[in-house]
Amino acid sequence: MKRTEEMVSSLRYDALQKRWVIIATERQHRPQDFGAGQSITVSREHCPFCAGREQQTPPEIAAIRPLHSEPDTPGWRVRVIENKYPALRISNAVWELGAEGFYETIPGYGAHEVIIEGPDHDKSFIDLPSDLAFDILSMYRERLNVHMDDLRLKYTLIFKNHGATAGASLLHPHSQIIATPVTPRTIRMELMSTLKHFAETNRCMICDMVQKERDEGERIIYDDGTIVAFANYAARFPYELFIAPARHETFYNRENDHTLHCLVNCLKDVLGRLRTLLSDPPYN
Amino acid sequence: MKRTEEMVSSLRYDALQKRWVIIATERQHRPQDFGAGQSITVSREHCPFCAGREQQTPPEIAAIRPLHSEPDTPGWRVRVIENKYPALRISNAVWELGAEGFYETIPGYGAHEVIIEGPDHDKSFIDLPSDLAFDILSMYRERLNVHMDDLRLKYTLIFKNHGATAGASLLHPHSQIIATPVTPRTIRMELMSTLKHFAETNRCMICDMVQKERDEGERIIYDDGTIVAFANYAARFPYELFIAPARHETFYNRENDHTLHCLVNCLKDVLGRLRTLLSDPPYN
Ligand SMILES: [Zn+2]
Ligand SMILES: [Zn+2]
């Protein structure tokens, strides 16, 4: 490996807990835990995510911007950059996975990106115009497609921390993407559950959950025929939501534009109701 | 069920995540999450855990106190009470477990106790005299024995939140016990891992970890021949520790007094070093 592609981290397997842990090096002196934003909270005047300060961020990886406009210049609607302190990074690393090895370690291969959700510093997701909200959700789809093409990546997580206590350190609206060379334990659990359910019943477990929620009705929060949102039956946190497509679909990145438009409406509705009910709560 | 034994909660199975979740009723309006202390932080003058205020707590379940002294009176060294807002409670509930059922629920049977670690309000665990620290660890052993005798209980967790940001709401030194009618997912993972390791190698996985840590040496923090402490190879948090007996033993409650005395020394040493290094950090 070349010096410029030096490892920023490694992944170690916890054989007891059957889970991979990212051991970061560059990030270790940061005040926040893995998954949090760029640095400590910065004010609007110094925000690197605002339009006109594109040179202050890592270079643009992807963007929704006017045709023929230059990368890293103003005019964009949605912008994707590498996280300034990436937990994982794409490299020429070569490795081979053991059979859930005892004390196994592999290179910290992967991607850690930030999606800047519009040039406006103060608007939260619910206040965005619907067409910009749609652009954000379709950028999620595009990034998922890109990472799925890299066969060394096994899973891509998109997450958003809203509010300082939920771990957001830059207030400018943004979300993050982590693509990993292993499947996280929580996802392996879901795969095991849904595969077992399918093997036993020949039916999709998520579809059966949607069906049961619709039949019972009492936990349904939103249902426009395309997108269904309901309070999680076994919620671990107050106001925990489960959002699913009404029609069977395994991959978010295979959903069509119509479904994403419905998802925009759903998110604006349920997040708006949460904000009214709870006075702008932090969320993930 | 009699009215006095009304359910304080129920357990719901998350079939997708293969995990049981406690759905509390009494606790739902509390400012803190499940697992935290009694209420918001109270000052020393109003602390119900201080000696002389025994009438202000739920009645004593167990205690280390002078022979023939009355329960709920001063003079105790260690005192066990029910948590004022129990997440689970012992009752006459009768239920049957399904086969990891879809939308399954069972009564919130179990125990949720507080162990008050001495009458002194201000002393943290490292500052306690060794004989009191030993009494606390042996009370853990006693409570584990009691809960193990109840065949409806499957698992007992003892935990301690030190410092307000770690979730402790009463500063008076205490720990908590939760005994559950199901095995938590994280423990089922460990059981699966260790059973598989034993099936394949005929050896105990924890013993193999201790052996490997001793061989490599670089993560060992404490080793007196009886108790070994080391930095977790796949740590998820900075300064995460793994403490194990050097000699194979499956049950904490089968350890003898000598081992508990060694554990006192180990805890005082490693927690003392963390305090020096990090200026009294919060911990769990
Ligand atoms: Zn900004
Ligand atoms: Zn006190």
Side-chain angles (χ1 to χ4, degrees):
Chain A
M1 266 176 297
K2 286 178 294 182
R3 173 118 185 84
T4 48
E5 281 163 351
E6 219 170 348
M7 285 299 116
V8 293
S9 62
S10 59
L11 286 152
R12 287 185 180 181
Y13 190 65
D14 182 337
L16 192 58
Q17 279 295 328
K18 296 178 174 289
R19 121 179 106 198
W20 289 91
V21 175
I22 301 175
I23 307 290
T25 47
E26 283 190 21
R27 288 171 70 88
Q28 71 190 349
H29 298 297
R30 299 186 54 237
Q32 308 258 357
D33 274 334
F34 166 75
Q38 306 271 108
S39 64
I40 51 169
T41 305
V42 295
S43 63
R44 184 201 184 94
E45 301 82 61
H46 302 99
C47 173
F49 291 175
C50 276
R53 300 212 185 87
E54 292 78 10
Q55 305 300 323
Q56 296 177 25
T57 70
E60 206 166 291
I61 297 169
I64 297 177
R65 52 163 60 254
L67 211 61
H68 308 306
S69 73
E70 287 294 310
D72 299 322
T73 62
W76 50 274
R77 294 166 58 81
V78 180
R79 214 171 153 243
V80 182
I81 55 171
E82 188 179 48
N83 190 298
K84 200 173 168 187
Y85 303 94
L88 301 169
R89 189 174 276 169
I90 301 292
S91 69
N92 292 326
V94 177
W95 73 92
E96 214 168 308
L97 271 187
E100 302 214 329
F102 198 58
Y103 285 81
E104 181 171 3
T105 180
I106 63 170
Y109 182 86
H112 189 177
E113 303 169 351
V114 173
I115 300 180
I116 307 172
E117 303 177 339
D120 200 325
H121 186 83
D122 290 314
K123 283 227 168 70
S124 64
F125 188 86
I126 355 183
D127 302 315
L128 297 180
S130 289
D131 58 340
L132 179 52
F134 173 83
D135 283 348
I136 294 163
L137 297 190
S138 67
M139 181 57 89
Y140 291 172
R141 188 170 58 181
E142 181 184 323
R143 297 313 297 161
L144 285 169
N145 277 326
V146 167
H147 295 315
M148 211 177 223
D149 284 344
D150 182 342
L151 296 179
R152 287 174 296 181
L153 293 174
K154 293 291 182 293
Y155 185 69
T156 301
L157 170 73
I158 300 177
F159 63 100
K160 181 174 171 71
N161 304 322
H162 174 79
T165 59
S169 52
L170 272 175
L171 294 178
H172 195 121
H174 67 283
S175 33
Q176 292 188 71
I177 296 182
I178 302 239
T180 53
V182 291
T183 308
R185 188 179 76 170
T186 180
I187 304 301
R188 277 185 286 134
M189 296 305 285
E190 295 189 359
L191 288 172
M192 277 165 60
S193 307
T194 50
L195 281 169
K196 180 166 175 283
H197 189 92
F198 185 79
E200 287 171 356
T201 66
N202 214 30
R203 291 179 51 82
C204 164
M205 188 174 194
I206 307 293
C207 288
D208 277 358
M209 286 170 68
V210 168
Q211 186 61 53
K212 183 152 177 85
E213 295 298 346
R214 281 177 158 179
D215 288 349
E216 297 195 356
E218 63 186 50
R219 282 178 300 273
I220 294 276
I221 287 155
Y222 185 93
D223 188 351
D224 67 358
T226 301
I227 298 288
V228 186
F230 48 90
N232 200 348
Y233 171 78
R236 296 205 299 163
F237 307 101
Y239 305 102
E240 191 179 317
L241 283 183
F242 199 104
I243 300 178
R247 184 181 42 75
H248 177 81
E249 176 55 78
T250 311
F251 295 99
Y252 174 88
N253 44 324
R254 284 192 197 146
E255 297 287 10
N256 61 27
D257 286 0
H258 170 71
T259 307
L260 292 202
H261 279 296
C262 292
L263 183 55
V264 166
N265 294 336
C266 171
L267 287 172
K268 288 191 149 215
D269 179 78
V270 300
L271 294 175
R273 283 197 270 161
L274 280 178
R275 179 161 73 177
T276 306
L277 194 61
L278 304 169
S279 326
D280 197 18
Y283 63 81
N284 300 97
Chain B
M1 263 175 301
K2 285 177 293 182
R3 174 120 186 82
T4 48
E5 280 163 355
E6 219 170 350
M7 284 300 115
V8 294
S9 61
S10 59
L11 286 152
R12 288 185 180 182
Y13 189 65
D14 182 337
L16 192 58
Q17 279 294 330
K18 294 176 175 288
R19 120 180 107 198
W20 289 91
V21 176
I22 301 175
I23 307 290
T25 48
E26 281 187 22
R27 287 170 72 88
Q28 69 190 348
H29 298 298
R30 298 187 54 238
Q32 308 256 358
D33 275 333
F34 167 75
Q38 306 271 109
S39 64
I40 51 171
T41 305
V42 294
S43 64
R44 186 203 184 94
E45 300 82 60
H46 302 99
C47 174
F49 292 175
C50 276
R53 300 213 185 85
E54 291 79 10
Q55 304 302 323
Q56 295 177 25
T57 69
E60 206 166 290
I61 297 169
I64 297 178
R65 54 163 59 252
L67 211 60
H68 308 305
S69 72
E70 287 294 310
D72 299 322
T73 61
W76 50 276
R77 294 164 60 79
V78 180
R79 208 169 158 248
V80 183
I81 56 171
E82 187 179 47
N83 189 299
K84 200 172 169 188
Y85 302 94
L88 301 170
R89 189 175 275 169
I90 301 291
S91 69
N92 292 324
V94 178
W95 73 93
E96 214 167 306
L97 271 187
E100 301 214 332
F102 198 57
Y103 285 82
E104 181 171 2
T105 180
I106 63 171
Y109 182 86
H112 188 175
E113 303 169 351
V114 173
I115 299 180
I116 307 172
E117 302 176 342
D120 201 323
H121 186 82
D122 290 315
K123 283 229 169 69
S124 64
F125 189 86
I126 356 184
D127 302 315
L128 297 179
S130 289
D131 58 341
L132 179 52
F134 173 83
D135 284 346
I136 294 163
L137 297 190
S138 68
M139 181 57 88
Y140 291 172
R141 188 170 58 181
E142 182 184 321
R143 297 312 298 160
L144 285 169
N145 277 327
V146 167
H147 294 315
M148 212 177 223
D149 283 344
D150 181 342
L151 296 180
R152 286 174 296 182
L153 293 173
K154 295 288 181 294
Y155 185 69
T156 301
L157 171 73
I158 300 177
F159 64 100
K160 182 174 170 73
N161 304 321
H162 173 80
T165 59
S169 52
L170 272 175
L171 294 178
H172 194 119
H174 68 282
S175 32
Q176 292 188 69
I177 296 182
I178 303 240
T180 54
V182 291
T183 309
R185 187 178 77 170
T186 181
I187 304 302
R188 278 185 286 136
M189 296 305 285
E190 293 188 359
L191 288 172
M192 277 166 60
S193 305
T194 49
L195 281 170
K196 181 168 174 283
H197 189 92
F198 184 78
E200 287 171 356
T201 66
N202 215 29
R203 291 179 50 82
C204 163
M205 188 175 195
I206 307 292
C207 288
D208 277 358
M209 285 169 67
V210 168
Q211 186 60 53
K212 183 153 178 86
E213 294 299 345
R214 281 178 158 177
D215 288 348
E216 298 194 356
E218 61 185 52
R219 282 178 299 272
I220 294 276
I221 287 155
Y222 184 93
D223 187 351
D224 65 359
T226 301
I227 298 288
V228 186
F230 49 90
N232 199 349
Y233 170 78
R236 296 206 298 164
F237 306 100
Y239 305 103
E240 192 179 316
L241 283 182
F242 198 105
I243 300 179
R247 183 180 42 74
H248 177 81
E249 177 54 77
T250 310
F251 295 98
Y252 175 88
N253 44 324
R254 285 193 197 145
E255 297 287 9
N256 61 27
D257 286 359
H258 170 71
T259 307
L260 292 202
H261 278 296
C262 293
L263 183 55
V264 165
N265 294 338
C266 171
L267 287 172
K268 288 191 148 214
D269 179 79
V270 299
L271 294 176
R273 282 197 270 161
L274 280 178
R275 179 162 73 178
T276 306
L277 196 60
L278 304 169
S279 329
D280 196 16
Y283 64 80
N284 299 99

